[in-house]
Amino acid sequence: MRKKDTLLKFNEFDNSKKSICFIASSGMSLRNFLLKSSLKSILKLQDKYNIVFITENNYIETYDQRINFLQIEYIENKLVLKISKFLNIISRLLFDKLNYTNTKKIQYKYDWLGNIYSRTFYKFKRFIPKSNFIFFILRKIDNHLIKLFSPEIKDLMKRINPFHVISLDPINKKEYAYLINSMDLCNTSAVIKSFDNITAKGYIPFVPNNIFVWNNLMVKEAFDAYGYFKPRIYAIGSPQYDHLNSDIELVKPESNQILYCTNSTDIYNDDHKNIAYIISFIEKFNFKLLIRVKQTDSIKRWQKYALLNNVSIYPNIIVDDDANKKCSDKNHQVSLVNQIKESFVVISSYSTIIFDSLALKTPCINLGYTYTHHKNGWDITKCEGFNHIKPLIELDCV
């Protein structure tokens, strides 16, 4: 490997072996695959393959250094980036016309995204052609452009000698160049990391050979969105829950802790009111309240509660504002498991933390959208029409 390639931790690279290469441009993606349970399986593969993670330097501080890490590189040619960005905007307009989910109808009609793109799409959607062929041609042009102007990435992938390249966040265009430059070398795959990604965002710049999703509902969503490109689609569960293993009982008589997990204000705006209500009776009934602040939120907004009796905040220090870096820390997920186990109830609002709680046999309260918060003049309860939300609220029993 060249000197430039060793900016991160390069353990032992055996040129006689092929490699399994993971592209992880987001901290959450890296964390999900490098938790102890998953890492154990990955390390077993080292007998036969080099294991390489291409990621950001500041994401790897808490992880095992027995695997190879490389710094992710980006195309620097500004003209090429502008042309590619234009092609991706047009492609996404076509993609959203072809895959006009109920989520997107709500987002665009009420300007949920709040940007020029969403307003443009909603205003001109009737004039956008519903054509898989045009979409396919535009992607071909962009693919060739990116391959032509990313020779360093192409060279790196050849030297890594991949058996399989796996994009852990294929919707993120940072991983696009690595998939494109691997398509002629090996098998390529994409992992859909979130249960709302296909119906709420969905646009993948390059559809690889395989797509891995959480469940059979998402298999159908992926087939509807990407079937034209004929990928193989598999339901494999979600890697972020592989480490959950409960040996605790459903009732926790020894626990007096309420775990309250905040959400972002554009989704749920009543966290402060709910916390104030809980605080009004915690001393009388000898409860403890642990407020776990969402990684995309600012700790400063919650610091005032840290001075109250029986109330604590996690994280309890002012940390870096980079949400991806917060997510990448393995302690972020390990701490959640411990906090859930130590609590007799978990309170959250339409968060996947509800799944963690159920898996750990801990009762949970899943707060619905507030009636008191309006976004751009419309009632946020309309979000209950989102494709990924409806299965959660239309159940006979939870």
Side-chain angles (χ1 to χ4, degrees):
M1 291 290 147
R2 294 177 303 181
K3 187 174 181 180
K4 183 180 179 183
D5 297 333
T6 60
L7 290 175
L8 302 193
K9 308 294 188 296
F10 225 80
N11 184 42
E12 293 181 7
F13 192 88
D14 186 343
N15 288 314
S16 67
K17 295 180 183 177
K18 281 191 167 289
S19 301
I20 296 178
C21 180
F22 297 90
I23 317 298
S25 61
S26 80
M28 183 184 294
S29 298
L30 187 72
R31 178 202 73 200
N32 290 349
F33 275 78
L34 292 187
L35 288 168
K36 187 176 180 180
S37 55
S38 302
L39 183 60
K40 189 189 305 181
S41 299
I42 290 171
L43 291 174
K44 287 179 181 178
L45 294 171
Q46 284 189 316
D47 292 338
K48 189 174 181 181
Y49 303 101
N50 294 302
I51 304 299
V52 180
F53 277 83
I54 298 179
T55 187
E56 296 285 1
N57 186 23
N58 60 352
Y59 295 166
I60 68 170
E61 295 170 359
T62 61
Y63 292 103
D64 193 298
Q65 302 303 319
R66 286 177 289 164
I67 45 184
N68 302 302
F69 293 97
L70 288 177
Q71 172 65 44
I72 192 167
E73 301 289 345
Y74 307 111
I75 298 171
E76 297 179 355
N77 188 306
K78 292 183 179 179
L79 178 60
V80 170
L81 290 175
K82 285 181 179 179
I83 295 172
S84 181
K85 183 177 180 179
F86 173 76
L87 291 173
N88 275 290
I89 289 172
I90 301 302
S91 297
R92 189 179 157 193
L93 289 169
L94 290 165
F95 177 85
D96 283 358
K97 181 64 177 283
L98 289 162
N99 302 276
Y100 197 43
T101 63
N102 203 56
T103 299
K104 289 173 184 172
K105 288 179 185 177
I106 296 169
Q107 287 176 328
Y108 293 146
K109 183 176 181 179
Y110 298 101
D111 196 16
W112 168 270
L113 304 174
N115 58 38
I116 294 174
Y117 173 84
S118 63
R119 288 188 283 274
T120 301
F121 180 86
Y122 191 72
K123 188 173 182 179
F124 297 104
K125 69 179 186 297
R126 72 179 68 181
F127 303 110
I128 300 171
K130 194 173 183 179
S131 171
N132 270 306
F133 178 73
I134 297 175
F135 178 70
F136 178 80
I137 294 300
L138 282 177
R139 299 319 309 141
K140 280 286 187 183
I141 294 171
D142 197 19
N143 292 350
H144 286 297
L145 182 70
I146 294 299
K147 283 184 73 174
L148 184 63
F149 286 93
S150 55
E152 296 87 358
I153 293 175
K154 183 177 183 179
D155 180 53
L156 173 64
M157 300 315 290
K158 283 183 176 178
R159 287 184 292 112
I160 285 177
N161 189 22
F163 170 72
H164 204 132
V165 172
I166 304 169
S167 168
L168 301 184
D169 188 11
I171 289 173
N172 191 323
K173 285 189 279 293
K174 293 177 182 177
E175 303 186 13
Y176 173 39
Y178 286 90
L179 280 177
I180 287 297
N181 283 291
S182 304
M183 61 185 291
D184 297 328
L185 301 173
C186 65
N187 202 12
T188 56
S189 296
V191 178
I192 304 297
K193 68 176 184 177
S194 177
F195 73 145
D196 64 336
N197 270 177
I198 299 175
T199 54
K201 299 175 184 175
Y203 172 61
I204 294 179
F206 174 72
V207 179
N209 304 116
N210 311 288
I211 295 178
F212 302 135
V213 299
W214 288 23
N215 52 44
N216 288 331
L217 176 62
M218 288 178 67
V219 168
K220 182 183 182 304
E221 293 171 350
F223 181 80
D224 291 341
Y226 315 117
Y228 185 82
F229 292 88
K230 297 181 171 56
R232 295 178 291 271
I233 303 170
Y234 303 93
I236 63 164
S238 173
Q240 76 185 74
Y241 302 112
D242 284 351
H243 69 295
L244 297 180
N245 181 21
S246 177
D247 55 2
I248 58 179
E249 298 299 324
L250 181 61
V251 178
K252 304 178 185 179
E254 74 287 354
S255 172
N256 67 341
Q257 177 172 283
I258 299 170
L259 174 62
Y260 191 104
C261 304
T262 72
N263 212 327
S264 54
T265 54
D266 63 335
I267 294 178
Y268 192 84
N269 202 39
D270 278 351
D271 283 333
H272 280 287
K273 292 180 183 178
N274 296 334
I275 289 170
Y277 172 69
I278 294 170
I279 287 173
S280 71
F281 61 74
I282 60 172
E283 286 194 17
K284 180 179 179 180
F285 295 101
N286 193 33
F287 287 146
K288 291 193 298 184
L289 174 63
L290 174 59
I291 302 172
R292 182 181 174 94
V293 179
K294 186 177 175 70
Q295 66 270 12
T296 54
D297 203 348
S298 169
I299 298 292
K300 294 177 182 178
R301 295 204 314 123
W302 308 95
Q303 284 297 100
K304 65 179 182 180
Y305 297 114
L307 301 175
L308 300 177
N309 292 331
N310 292 2
V311 179
S312 52
I313 310 291
Y314 179 88
N316 59 3
I317 55 172
I318 303 298
V319 293
D320 195 299
D321 285 337
D322 184 348
N324 252 314
K325 186 174 180 180
K326 292 179 194 175
C327 282
S328 69
D329 189 327
K330 71 177 181 182
N331 298 316
H332 178 82
Q333 203 70 3
V334 172
S335 65
L336 176 62
V337 173
N338 292 332
Q339 289 164 7
I340 291 173
K341 286 183 175 181
E342 292 165 1
S343 304
F344 74 89
V345 66
V346 177
I347 303 174
S348 189
S349 51
Y350 284 144
S351 167
T352 54
I353 286 174
I354 295 300
F355 297 146
D356 294 81
S357 304
L358 293 173
L360 292 168
K361 300 180 185 176
T362 300
C364 50
I365 298 172
N366 188 24
L367 299 169
Y369 288 110
T370 170
Y371 282 88
T372 61
H373 179 217
H374 291 260
K375 182 177 177 66
N376 297 337
W378 59 277
D379 194 325
I380 206 163
T381 55
K382 288 185 173 65
C383 296
E384 293 178 355
F386 282 178
N387 294 72
H388 63 286
I389 295 297
K390 286 193 285 187
L392 297 180
I393 62 179
E394 292 180 350
L395 301 175
D396 293 327
C397 178
V398 176

